[in-house]
Amino acid sequence: MRVYNFSAGPAVLPEEVLKEAADEMLDYQGSGMSVMEMSHRSKTYDKIIKDAEADLRDLMNIPDNYKVLFLQGGASSQFAMIPMNLMKNKVADYIVTGQWAKKAYQEASIYGKANKIASSEDATFSYIPDCSDLPISEDADYVYICENNTIYGTKFKTLPNTKGKTLVADVSSCFLSEPVDVTKYGLIYGGVQKNIGPAGVVIVIIREDLITEDVLCGTPTMFKYKIHADNESLYNTPPAYGIYICGKVFKWLKKQGGLAAMKEYNEKKAAVLYDFLDESSLFKGTVRKEDRSLMNVPFVTGNEELDAKFVKEAAAAGFVNLKGHRSVGGMRASIYNAMPIEGVEKLVAFMKEFEKNNA
């Protein structure tokens, strides 16, 4: 029996996709082998990766002057890869709204001058700071954000005013959850294990003018965007099976009606949980209302023992991976694209029952 998996990542995937992959596990479309065993140089695999890119471009309406790269190393590798490739003046501005933005900022500090121009650390990253008039550095190569904060459950509803500087965004935990205007970013990237596929793939969407030979001295070949762009993500053996699953998820998203339909569904789904949290006498959300994420919902009872009891009883009832991140405590429900609304409704029904029994 499948459980309702509220994990922040690796996370729930569409059942339809998992069943398709299972059917093709031993023999992909008459090839007599699994995609897991297939040469990435074969015609069969070439079609898999090209179709995946075409479907992603279609879903996100990615302009022709942006490259799509399927890379390894997860989102964390990009904390170094971005400054190595983009820090021409060795200056970058960082808006620190959570642990991952903080790690990216710290990593960038190795390669040049990273300026923390805004932060919400003063209130345990429970809000998004006002980014309408920031002290953008005149010589900054880019301005960096983590758009949706998985651990803390916040989301940029309005992109920062970068005053003409290139915007770089980590969208790992809100990737493909709503329509995006790619032209507002110079580079947009995300690890796929939260909303798109299995761990091991990071997708980078980068404007072509940012892909140059002019990278920081000492940048490894594998960390140059140009090498991957020139080789269409096949410079070395890519995370082939992960990309194949991503491709299936892209097709599934198109079948759901695309990103506008997903946003509508995600808003409806999140409202079920947030509406309950707002009226509950036991459970409380931890994020400022206007900054709430549609994907990650942290909440607490205010009592650590009761939190632990809830997590244990929820798991026994089939609602798993609800324990909050150690830096926040409490609980967190990650309700990505593939989490059905019934899962959220049943979780809320369980929470109501728990509240009644533990008032």
Side-chain angles (χ1 to χ4, degrees):
M1 176 191 133
R2 276 178 69 77
V3 294
Y4 287 111
N5 179 12
F6 293 94
S7 170
V12 61
L13 285 167
E15 268 191 46
E16 192 180 309
V17 166
L18 294 175
K19 284 174 179 167
E20 263 183 41
D23 288 344
E24 294 173 346
M25 178 54 84
L26 294 176
D27 180 8
Y28 176 74
Q29 296 189 357
S31 65
M33 66 181 110
S34 171
V35 174
M36 229 180 255
E37 308 166 294
M38 196 175 279
S39 166
H40 61 294
R41 305 287 179 203
S42 67
K43 279 185 180 173
T44 309
Y45 191 76
D46 192 58
K47 181 169 174 14
I48 289 171
I49 194 168
K50 282 194 166 65
D51 283 356
E53 179 179 336
D55 284 334
L56 181 61
R57 283 185 176 278
D58 193 25
L59 274 168
M60 292 181 73
N61 197 22
I62 299 171
D64 291 342
N65 65 323
Y66 282 75
K67 291 282 189 192
V68 173
L69 309 175
F70 294 99
L71 305 177
Q72 293 165 341
S76 296
S77 64
Q78 296 306 307
F79 299 167
M81 206 162 168
I82 287 160
M84 282 177 170
N85 285 266
L86 304 189
M87 252 193 188
K88 316 296 185 194
N89 298 322
K90 292 204 172 181
V91 180
D93 289 349
Y94 279 70
I95 298 167
V96 178
T97 52
Q99 185 168 305
W100 303 114
K102 188 177 181 179
K103 285 187 174 182
Y105 159 73
Q106 289 167 338
E107 191 78 7
S109 301
I110 297 168
Y111 303 101
K113 190 183 177 199
N115 302 306
K116 192 193 291 184
I117 57 168
S119 173
S120 53
E121 198 163 5
D122 62 326
T124 326
F125 300 121
S126 59
Y127 70 99
I128 298 291
D130 179 4
C131 296
S132 58
D133 186 20
L134 295 166
I136 305 286
S137 310
E138 274 186 39
D139 51 353
D141 292 298
Y142 59 86
V143 177
Y144 182 102
I145 63 169
C146 179
E147 199 161 316
N148 187 92
N149 295 285
T150 323
I151 293 172
Y152 303 95
T154 59
K155 166 80 163 68
F156 279 83
K157 302 295 168 71
T158 305
L159 293 176
N161 174 9
T162 64
K163 300 178 181 175
K165 299 293 182 184
T166 297
L167 178 63
V168 171
D170 173 356
V171 297
S172 296
S173 51
C174 59
F175 219 161
L176 303 184
S177 63
E178 60 182 28
V180 173
D181 182 354
V182 175
T183 64
K184 290 183 175 174
Y185 307 81
L187 187 154
I188 184 169
Y189 78 93
V192 306
Q193 73 278 7
K194 298 172 185 298
N195 220 13
I196 304 172
V201 185
V202 58
I203 297 172
V204 175
I205 300 159
I206 178 171
R207 210 173 58 225
E208 284 180 346
D209 62 286
L210 297 173
I211 304 170
T212 67
E213 297 275 12
D214 178 22
V215 297
L216 293 190
C217 182
T219 298
T221 301
M222 273 296 289
F223 266 42
K224 294 175 182 174
Y225 289 129
K226 191 167 185 348
I227 202 88
H228 296 291
D230 289 350
N231 290 278
E232 298 179 316
S233 302
L234 294 166
Y235 170 70
N236 68 324
T237 308
Y241 194 81
I243 295 166
Y244 151 79
I245 298 290
C246 291
K248 288 200 173 297
V249 172
F250 300 154
K251 289 197 186 302
W252 177 81
L253 284 166
K254 288 173 88 170
K255 210 153 75 173
Q256 307 314 303
L259 301 191
M262 283 319 301
K263 184 185 184 194
E264 196 180 318
Y265 187 63
N266 288 328
E267 285 174 339
K268 189 176 163 191
K269 194 163 52 175
V272 173
L273 185 47
Y274 283 126
D275 288 352
F276 167 69
L277 289 172
D278 288 343
E279 67 186 30
S280 171
S281 57
L282 179 63
F283 298 101
K284 293 282 171 283
T286 59
V287 173
R288 188 168 72 179
K289 275 190 185 182
E290 57 266 39
D291 299 325
R292 285 170 166 175
S293 164
L294 292 179
M295 299 283 100
N296 312 101
V297 185
F299 55 96
V300 294
T301 64
N303 178 308
E304 284 185 21
E305 284 180 17
L306 207 51
D307 288 350
K309 185 184 183 195
F310 173 81
V311 170
K312 188 178 176 184
E313 290 184 10
F319 306 102
V320 304
N321 294 315
L322 280 165
K323 189 177 182 197
H325 191 271
R326 61 188 176 276
S327 60
V328 181
M331 287 70 67
R332 171 182 51 180
S334 292
I335 50 175
Y336 298 122
N337 285 342
M339 172 57 68
I341 198 163
E342 302 79 52
V344 182
E345 288 167 345
K346 286 180 180 176
L347 173 64
V348 166
F350 176 81
M351 289 169 78
K352 284 178 178 171
E353 188 65 20
F354 185 87
E355 183 172 307
K356 195 171 77 182
N357 295 338
N358 294 272

